[in-house]
Amino acid sequence: MSDSSPLFASPDDLSSPPGYSHVVTVPAGRLVWTAGQIAVDADGNVVGVGDWESQARLVFQNLTRALDAAGAGWSDVVKLTYFVVDISGLATIRAVRDEFVDQSRPPTSTLVQVAGLAYPDLLLEVEAVAWLP
């Protein structure tokens, strides 16, 4: 690991992860946590009811806005946590995620299926952790 940048790794003795790293080690710096972002627009309306792609896209756009507010970007993200009401949307979520994250250095990732989210029409919520030097 360089003293100035994170080390993204997936050890050979663990399964090959689809679009994420098993471990990220970060040097001293500033960590940024976002709150879980959902498919709610600036007016408080749920967007894309029943539509995984629309909701995932707005969630990642909202994460972009939250990261920007802290002076961070997608290249700084080291961890994503997903909360989904149904695993069936995973392929769509991954496709949208890949439009945002640096696939040469994918962040670590956790996905949890939950019984429900803040509003009944929400399909997913995602939170991010970023590292800044």
Side-chain angles (χ1 to χ4, degrees):
M1 175 176 79
S2 160
D3 288 339
S4 62
S5 63
L7 172 65
F8 294 77
S10 291
D12 292 338
D13 56 349
L14 290 174
S15 65
S16 179
Y20 64 91
S21 298
H22 278 294
V23 63
V24 176
T25 304
V26 295
R30 185 166 57 107
L31 291 177
V32 175
W33 279 268
T34 70
Q37 296 299 307
I38 54 178
V40 171
D41 65 19
D43 294 323
N45 302 306
V46 174
V47 173
V49 174
D51 182 343
W52 281 101
E53 184 174 355
S54 293
Q55 287 205 6
R57 190 160 313 284
L58 183 55
V59 164
F60 279 90
Q61 290 168 345
N62 286 344
L63 281 167
T64 300
R65 291 178 185 96
L67 292 165
D68 285 348
W74 282 102
S75 62
D76 304 310
V77 173
V78 296
K79 170 75 169 138
L80 291 171
T81 304
Y82 302 82
F83 304 93
V84 298
V85 297
D86 187 340
I87 299 296
S88 69
L90 185 55
T92 302
I93 294 166
R94 284 179 175 160
V96 173
R97 171 208 61 200
D98 289 351
E99 297 174 21
F100 291 84
V101 302
D102 179 354
Q103 284 300 293
S104 68
R105 300 171 1 132
T108 60
S109 178
T110 299
L111 180 129
V112 179
Q113 184 171 333
V114 297
L117 294 164
Y119 302 109
D121 290 329
L122 292 175
L123 301 172
L124 75 153
E125 181 170 340
V126 182
E127 56 187 32
V129 177
W131 171 84
L132 297 169

